Amino acid sequence: EARFGRAYYHFMLLTQYCLWGDDKPGIGYRDNATAGEVPERKTVSYTLERIYEDLRLAEKALTKAGRTTFDKAHNFRPTVPTVQAFRARVALYRGDYELALSNATEALKAHNTLVDFKNEPEYELEEWNWISVLEEGEPVDEIVVSSMFELDDMDTEAVAKYEELYLPNVSWEGLGGTCPISESFYELWDRENDARWIHFYSSCTPLLMTGNNLVEMDTNTFEQYISYENWQYLKPWNLYSYSRFAGNSLIGMTTAEMYLIKAECEARGGHEGTAAETLKTLRRTRFMDDASAEAGVTGSVQEVLDERLREMGAFWRFYDVKRLNGAENAGIYVRREILTDPTDLSTRVQLEIAPDDPRWALPFYTFEAATMGWEQNGGWK
């Protein structure tokens, strides 16, 4: 378990604080308990070698201990299928599709549960808030905010109820756990039939979180409203954010992730028909009807990547762009309109991050970098 944990968290650090290339600065790999010792920051390649070695030894020890099958009652502790699922994630990130495919396939043999969202009562939506659009003091529109009350207590309920997890890792982040979406992401969805959109992107949290900047409150009636003057500048996608694990971060492996890894590797290997069937297995539990789930599915690489974005975009889009630019030379730019002054809608500017931008490696806290003696990542000095 200790070896698995070390590999797991070093990889999470690698994806956040390192560029993709083998020869780029990696994460110092701590291999002893000597107080005050700071590991040298070697290359990404070196860090990966240590991660794979820890996973190999963890799997060997777990096999010897008889922990070879999936155990939902204790799935917060690693088993051999957990190691396989995580190795599949690491290998996909590095563009090692053969290794990723073999490990995702083995993990799915041990655990392949997918929750059927359209038939799951805990995902039912209930209206809980209303925002009136006012023009000259009169209501001209109404925005309805819905929530999944059965799963509101995410920090305790999600781990117990979410059956797709190989390894739960849900951490509380308070009100900062929402993820606003872009126009391109909004247009990626079948919003009439995809249960994920219906249940998980029906929140107006971005609007609610603007407080008195856009939404004002009548202190006598507690009615919330927005003026039509401000409302007219908003686009449909401005009202949506990912709300499935609102207030939490899920970074543990899921069954859905294994199906997506399997499908992508099959598609990249030229087996689009097989990839299409793998995708359909996942989509049939994500759509309101099977006809919509299966319509037009061909199993192309881009199709799998689009499905991965729908399923995992709230957590893994940043890392997917890094690995596609690194492993596939995809040339993906990230562009987003932002407000330089969040209280002023006229201060829109476009933020652009190019494929070779050093800021794909996030900055260390200044104090931590100084303590470790590591040079700060490029672009953040």
Side-chain angles (χ1 to χ4, degrees):
E1 289 184 359
R3 287 190 180 278
F4 175 85
R6 183 166 64 178
Y8 185 88
Y9 286 106
H10 275 80
F11 180 71
M12 298 305 298
L13 293 169
L14 185 78
T15 58
Q16 295 178 68
Y17 298 109
C18 303
L19 298 175
W20 190 90
D22 283 341
D23 60 343
K24 302 301 182 183
I27 291 295
Y29 214 88
R30 185 67 178 268
D31 60 4
N32 63 70
T34 305
E37 182 174 315
V38 177
E40 179 185 354
R41 190 181 187 192
K42 298 185 180 180
T43 63
V44 167
S45 177
Y46 173 81
T47 308
L48 284 163
E49 288 174 7
R50 297 299 303 271
I51 288 170
Y52 278 127
E53 177 66 3
D54 265 345
L55 292 179
R56 183 186 70 81
L57 293 171
E59 184 170 9
K60 180 180 178 180
L62 289 167
T63 301
K64 184 177 180 180
R67 303 263 292 280
T68 58
T69 58
F70 178 77
D71 179 5
K72 183 179 186 300
H74 304 95
N75 73 336
F76 54 88
R77 302 183 67 175
T79 61
V80 169
T82 313
V83 174
Q84 293 166 337
F86 185 63
R87 190 185 287 118
R89 175 187 282 182
V90 176
L92 183 79
Y93 182 77
R94 297 306 303 171
D96 189 343
Y97 304 120
E98 184 176 344
L99 182 63
L101 176 59
S102 63
N103 277 272
T105 301
E106 289 302 310
L108 286 169
K109 289 179 182 178
H111 181 58
N112 58 14
T113 299
L114 287 166
V115 177
D116 193 337
F117 294 151
K118 61 180 175 291
N119 295 322
E120 178 51 63
E122 289 168 350
Y123 292 121
E124 288 297 321
L125 288 169
E126 296 182 45
E127 297 179 359
W128 70 279
N129 204 345
W130 297 265
I131 301 171
S132 296
V133 181
L134 300 183
E135 185 173 18
E136 296 182 353
E138 297 296 324
V140 294
D141 203 348
E142 185 176 65
I143 308 164
V144 179
V145 185
S146 300
S147 183
M148 296 174 288
F149 286 107
E150 290 296 323
L151 288 176
D152 256 2
D153 194 5
M154 295 297 185
D155 56 330
T156 58
E157 297 296 326
V159 170
K161 294 183 177 181
Y162 191 43
E163 296 181 339
E164 295 180 3
L165 291 170
Y166 285 94
L167 180 75
N169 192 330
V170 183
S171 58
W172 181 251
E173 291 185 353
L175 294 176
T178 57
C179 182
I181 67 172
S182 63
E183 178 182 4
S184 59
F185 189 68
Y186 179 81
E187 296 298 340
L188 189 64
W189 293 85
D190 177 350
R191 295 186 296 277
E192 297 295 323
N193 299 301
D194 196 320
R196 291 167 297 191
W197 174 265
I198 294 169
H199 292 294
F200 306 142
Y201 288 90
S202 60
S203 170
C204 289
T205 306
L207 188 57
L208 291 173
M209 288 180 68
T210 59
N212 290 330
N213 295 327
L214 292 177
V215 181
E216 301 175 11
M217 183 177 289
D218 186 318
T219 56
N220 295 317
T221 65
F222 295 99
E223 178 183 6
Q224 293 179 305
Y225 66 90
I226 180 173
S227 68
Y228 181 76
E229 181 183 7
N230 287 333
W231 167 248
Q232 65 179 323
Y233 291 107
L234 298 175
K235 304 297 183 182
W237 49 90
N238 295 145
L239 299 179
Y240 290 92
S241 70
Y242 181 81
S243 60
R244 187 181 192 182
F245 289 96
N248 292 270
S249 290
L250 172 66
I251 55 177
M253 290 77 66
T254 66
T255 314
E257 181 182 357
M258 293 305 107
Y259 275 107
L260 289 164
I261 290 175
K262 185 172 183 289
E264 182 175 338
C265 295
E266 289 166 343
R268 291 189 182 281
H271 305 291
E272 293 190 353
T274 305
E277 292 306 312
T278 303
L279 272 186
K280 289 177 184 178
T281 300
L282 171 64
R283 285 168 61 91
R284 280 191 285 266
T285 66
R286 270 43 182 167
F287 279 70
M288 302 306 291
D289 61 82
D290 288 353
S292 299
E294 298 177 6
V297 176
T298 64
S300 68
V301 172
Q302 188 57 54
E303 195 172 68
V304 178
L305 293 176
D306 288 345
E307 199 64 51
R308 183 177 172 89
L309 181 52
R310 297 184 193 98
E311 182 73 29
M312 303 178 65
F315 302 113
W316 285 101
R317 178 59 177 169
F318 177 81
Y319 313 109
D320 275 344
V321 174
K322 283 179 73 169
R323 61 108 172 171
L324 290 170
N325 281 339
E328 300 292 329
N329 295 315
I332 300 172
Y333 285 74
V334 174
R335 299 180 179 90
R336 191 66 177 265
E337 278 197 348
I338 63 172
L339 299 178
T340 55
D341 179 355
T343 67
D344 186 353
L345 291 173
S346 67
T347 62
R348 295 171 184 262
V349 296
Q350 187 175 78
L351 174 69
E352 178 178 280
I353 301 179
D356 58 353
D357 195 307
R359 290 176 295 174
W360 283 108
L362 299 178
F364 297 113
Y365 286 112
T366 303
F367 171 78
E368 297 292 348
T371 300
M372 294 184 294
W374 292 2
E375 185 179 351
Q376 180 62 277
N377 283 327
W380 302 105
K381 298 177 181 179

